[in-house]
Amino acid sequence: MNVSAPELASLASPTADRPEWIWRNGTLSRWEQAQIHVNAVGHASTAAIFEGIKAYRADDGRLLLFRLDEHLRRLFDSARICRLDLPYSLADLRTGVFDLLRGNGYDRDAYVRPWAFPAGLIREQMVPAGSVCEVVIDSWPFRSRPDVTRGCRAGVSSWQRVSDAAMPPRVKAFSNYHNGRLAMMEARENGHDWPILLNERHKVSEGPGACVALVRHGTVTTPSLTSGVLESITRDTVLRLLDESGEPVVEREVDRSELYLADELFFLGTAWEILPITSIDGLPVGQGRPGPVTRRLADAYARLVRGRSDRHTDWLTEVPR
């Protein structure tokens, strides 16, 4: 049985229960008071960048942020490429994340989103280089990964992934995600749950919010970082886990037809974690159910992020009480 589109869509969506606090420009503000003039949103949002970070509740009640510093460093990388000025240090934003999670009193899994946009009333569509940004960190509870005994249906999109020469996918910018949104809507119309996009060279790129990997003849293969993909922290995590376990893994360009011959396929990303793909363009993947490598990775990832593993404890940052 496949995971339904509404179930998947809920993975990274805010619930109806809004938090009490939001972090904005160095201080906690009440959620309903964190307002901005309508003229400051439209043009500024074309240059807005963001991050998605998960905090997992451990069995002993601790709240553990997964690879917090790597996510924050990627925010600064995105700002550099977009030539935006973030007026805070990584340490400032780290403290902001702690303050926000404590202020909202989360005792369950939480999604944390730092984001930055040019400050003030921006009336130029072409936001100038060096614009000083407002920085906001918001959060909401999330439901962790779907049951990996099930999976999702994927379809190759007719929409092409944006390229590094046009809108660099390694930048985590809100504007880049419109590309994936178009592909997602098409996929749903065609009876799939999620799309897989090809790049300008007609090679496999990624999904609308996650990277993709395939397993064939025991080797895990994922598109290279020059295939039009985000420099995914989950992708890096999975590749390192595979390497440490001695499992064959390859990063290279991937043809569309390889998807049809794969024994296993899966998405991987912060929001989706490890999500099996059980059909591609209507063809069953392998036996039409999540395979052993995917299930093993999903279990290892779940153990890791909740502090149940003795591997890579340095990737976990406990939210101070």
Side-chain angles (χ1 to χ4, degrees):
M1 180 179 178
N2 289 314
V3 180
S4 68
E7 281 184 287
L8 289 169
S10 71
L11 287 175
S13 298
T15 66
D17 298 325
R18 66 190 189 194
E20 183 177 1
W21 299 99
I22 192 168
W23 188 97
R24 182 180 181 187
N25 297 328
T27 60
L28 290 181
S29 301
R30 292 201 175 273
W31 192 92
E32 65 276 7
Q33 294 173 350
Q35 299 175 0
I36 186 171
H37 195 279
V38 67
N39 280 355
V41 176
H43 296 321
S45 65
T46 66
I49 57 174
F50 74 103
E51 269 303 319
I53 307 166
K54 279 188 172 178
Y56 291 86
R57 189 178 187 275
D59 296 335
D60 58 9
R62 293 178 300 154
L63 201 57
L64 303 174
L65 289 149
F66 187 62
R67 301 193 70 171
L68 171 63
D69 287 353
E70 289 92 332
H71 279 283
L72 293 178
R73 278 195 287 269
R74 191 171 64 182
L75 183 72
F76 282 90
D77 289 344
S78 293
R80 179 178 176 81
I81 294 174
C82 292
R83 304 195 180 207
L84 298 173
D85 178 13
L86 301 187
Y88 300 97
S89 67
L90 188 147
D92 292 332
L93 297 184
R94 207 171 193 266
T95 300
V97 170
F98 295 157
D99 289 345
L100 178 66
L101 291 174
R102 281 197 302 263
N104 284 326
Y106 289 119
D107 60 357
R108 52 178 168 160
D109 297 347
Y111 191 92
V112 181
R113 181 179 63 180
W115 53 293
F117 57 93
L121 299 180
I122 305 295
R123 291 195 168 94
E124 298 178 44
Q125 184 177 356
M126 305 303 173
V127 176
S131 295
V132 177
C133 288
E134 284 203 46
V135 181
V136 172
I137 309 173
D138 56 4
S139 61
W140 55 84
F142 77 91
R143 182 176 61 83
S144 191
R145 65 195 176 98
D147 186 348
V148 293
T149 61
R150 301 183 292 171
C152 71
R153 300 162 298 179
V156 176
S157 179
S158 68
W159 292 98
Q160 180 177 291
R161 186 65 172 131
V162 293
S163 75
D164 192 72
M167 296 174 65
R170 62 169 36 87
V171 174
K172 199 167 177 69
F174 284 113
S175 53
N176 281 354
Y177 280 71
H178 184 59
N179 180 224
R181 175 176 174 268
L182 292 172
M184 180 194 69
M185 292 186 293
E186 177 190 54
R188 302 282 168 82
E189 288 293 323
N190 291 337
H192 309 300
D193 296 310
W194 295 105
I196 293 175
L197 293 97
L198 306 182
N199 62 27
E200 72 279 8
R201 299 186 298 278
H202 309 293
K203 302 296 185 180
V204 175
S205 180
E206 59 182 359
C211 290
V212 65
L214 65 90
V215 184
R216 189 179 183 203
H217 303 323
T219 296
V220 179
T221 302
T222 192
S224 64
L225 289 177
T226 55
S227 295
V229 304
L230 178 71
E231 291 192 349
S232 164
I233 292 165
T234 309
R235 176 185 180 278
D236 177 72
T237 298
V238 166
L239 292 180
R240 291 172 69 172
L241 291 177
L242 287 166
D243 182 65
E244 291 165 3
S245 299
E247 300 195 51
V249 59
V250 177
E251 300 176 69
R252 60 167 173 81
E253 288 193 333
V254 175
D255 288 326
R256 174 178 182 167
S257 57
E258 293 183 76
L259 302 178
Y260 304 139
L261 300 177
D263 301 316
E264 301 178 44
L265 275 176
F266 57 92
F267 287 118
L268 56 158
T270 294
W272 301 7
E273 298 164 330
I274 310 297
L275 177 60
I277 301 170
T278 53
S279 72
I280 177 70
D281 285 344
L283 290 171
V285 175
Q287 300 299 311
R289 57 181 179 270
V293 176
T294 306
R295 295 197 306 270
R296 190 161 59 248
L297 277 172
D299 179 69
Y301 188 83
R303 288 173 51 80
L304 183 64
V305 298
R306 295 196 184 278
R308 297 170 183 161
S309 170
D310 57 2
R311 301 171 69 179
H312 293 293
T313 56
D314 56 310
W315 283 349
L316 302 174
T317 301
E318 180 179 351
V319 178
R321 296 185 184 276

